[in-house]
Amino acid sequence: MELTYEVFNPRSTAERILVVAPSLGGDATQQWTAVAEALDGQATVVLADLPGQSSAPVWDDADEPTLQSLALGFIDVVRRVRAQLGDLPVFFAGLSISGATALHIALEHPDDVSGVAVLCSAAKVGESDRWLERAEQVETSGTQQLVEETEKRWFTSNFRAQHKGVVRTIMETLAASDDHSYAQLCRALAVHDVRTELADIRMPLLVIAGGRDGSTPIENVEFVAESVPGAELHVLPEAAHQVTVACPGDVANVLLSFMSRNERPFRKEQADD
């Protein structure tokens, strides 16, 4: 799987790289730019998009619809970025489905990154049959039908009232997502379940939750933090699911502190093993 990405601040002289990725039906630029601006000078931020979301190429059906496939795509981005920018410490931060994928990166590709951040996601997300139902629904009727309900889960009522233009733009991106790609990502979430593997993670892991997130119950987020040795949990009490949009400064500060404590030199021979 080859994913598209953009370096937000290509002239940065920061000594670390942060690869970030959006939620299902989201656009990395829309969801992460405010965080990237807050980290300017502290990290070179790379915005990676999901298949068929925003202007990214659609899902290639040669790839099995699993988060393991998506993790391989993100690791390919990490390696291409490192070839472009140099052998610097790289961190990965994912929102929602990309946060779930971060757990697969931690389990399956520990030598490629210095640490991962899981934002508003969990070791199992929702119920498998509901994801499969949504996949079929979207294949038949498109993503436009999801907008009204999703908007209420992604943003608090206060944020929707105060930032109507921001919310409208993000929801328009959801409505314009490639239907088959979105459905394949739903099928990947249907088989995502690493609850019994969390204790095997041995890399630095940060978990960020929205205190008013209706999509990811806080107990599921806490389970990840409690199960991964040494994991950190930060809850942003007034945020719903889109924490990077609602609280970008807070997210940036937590990420910067995490990266500063955990960066380690990249060892190419280790990643090549």
Side-chain angles (χ1 to χ4, degrees):
M1 177 181 295
E2 185 168 329
L3 301 176
T4 56
Y5 69 88
E6 177 184 359
V7 180
F8 172 78
N9 47 352
R11 295 182 179 83
S12 173
T13 58
E15 293 298 313
R16 62 176 71 95
I17 299 166
L18 175 64
V19 177
V20 301
S23 63
L24 178 62
D27 177 302
T29 299
Q30 293 171 359
Q31 294 180 350
W32 280 97
T33 287
V35 176
E37 290 173 342
L39 288 171
D40 198 23
Q42 303 294 331
T44 300
V45 180
V46 177
L47 307 165
D49 270 311
L50 299 168
Q53 320 297 289
S54 183
S55 59
V58 301
W59 185 283
D60 184 345
D61 283 335
D63 294 310
E64 187 179 3
T66 66
L67 295 192
Q68 289 93 331
S69 295
L70 198 56
L72 280 170
F74 284 129
I75 289 302
D76 176 62
V77 170
V78 167
R79 292 172 179 171
R80 284 188 281 158
V81 166
R82 193 172 261 133
Q84 177 182 348
L85 300 177
D87 289 339
L88 300 171
V90 179
F91 293 83
F92 179 84
L95 175 64
S96 193
I97 186 175
S98 297
T101 306
L103 293 172
H104 290 270
I105 290 174
L107 285 163
E108 298 148 24
H109 307 281
D111 295 327
D112 282 281
V113 293
S114 294
V116 300
V118 177
L119 284 73
C120 299
S121 198
K124 179 174 172 58
V125 180
E127 298 301 323
S128 299
D129 57 349
R130 295 292 299 274
W131 285 117
L132 295 175
E133 289 172 10
R134 186 186 292 190
E136 294 306 313
Q137 180 184 16
V138 167
E139 295 270 29
T140 302
S141 305
T143 57
Q144 175 66 46
Q145 64 189 300
L146 305 175
V147 168
E148 183 176 354
E149 177 192 353
T150 302
E151 180 179 315
K152 294 175 183 177
R153 288 189 287 104
W154 278 8
F155 303 100
T156 65
S157 57
N158 284 343
F159 189 90
R160 296 200 308 271
Q162 295 171 15
H163 303 276
K164 293 179 181 179
V166 171
V167 172
R168 184 185 310 113
T169 298
I170 289 175
M171 302 320 296
E172 286 172 351
T173 296
L174 170 61
S177 296
D178 175 70
D179 296 337
H180 180 61
S181 300
Y182 186 101
Q184 291 291 74
L185 291 165
C186 289
R187 295 178 180 112
L189 283 168
V191 296
H192 163 65
D193 187 350
V194 295
R195 288 175 292 181
T196 62
E197 302 170 57
L198 293 176
D200 297 330
I201 294 176
R202 290 293 182 270
M203 70 159 51
L205 189 137
L206 170 66
V207 185
I208 299 177
R212 299 178 64 185
D213 185 357
S215 294
T216 310
I218 190 67
E219 59 267 25
N220 294 355
V221 180
E222 292 171 339
F223 179 79
V224 174
E226 293 166 359
S227 301
V228 176
E232 305 173 34
L233 172 63
H234 290 265
V235 179
L236 304 178
E238 295 306 313
H241 195 59
Q242 293 287 328
V243 291
T244 58
V245 179
C247 303
D250 293 329
V251 171
N253 288 337
V254 173
L255 283 170
L256 179 58
S257 178
F258 174 71
M259 291 187 292
S260 298
R261 289 194 306 274
N262 292 297
E263 61 191 12
R264 54 184 168 83
F266 174 66
R267 294 171 57 191
K268 185 175 187 302
E269 66 276 9
Q270 205 174 38
D272 288 342
D273 288 347

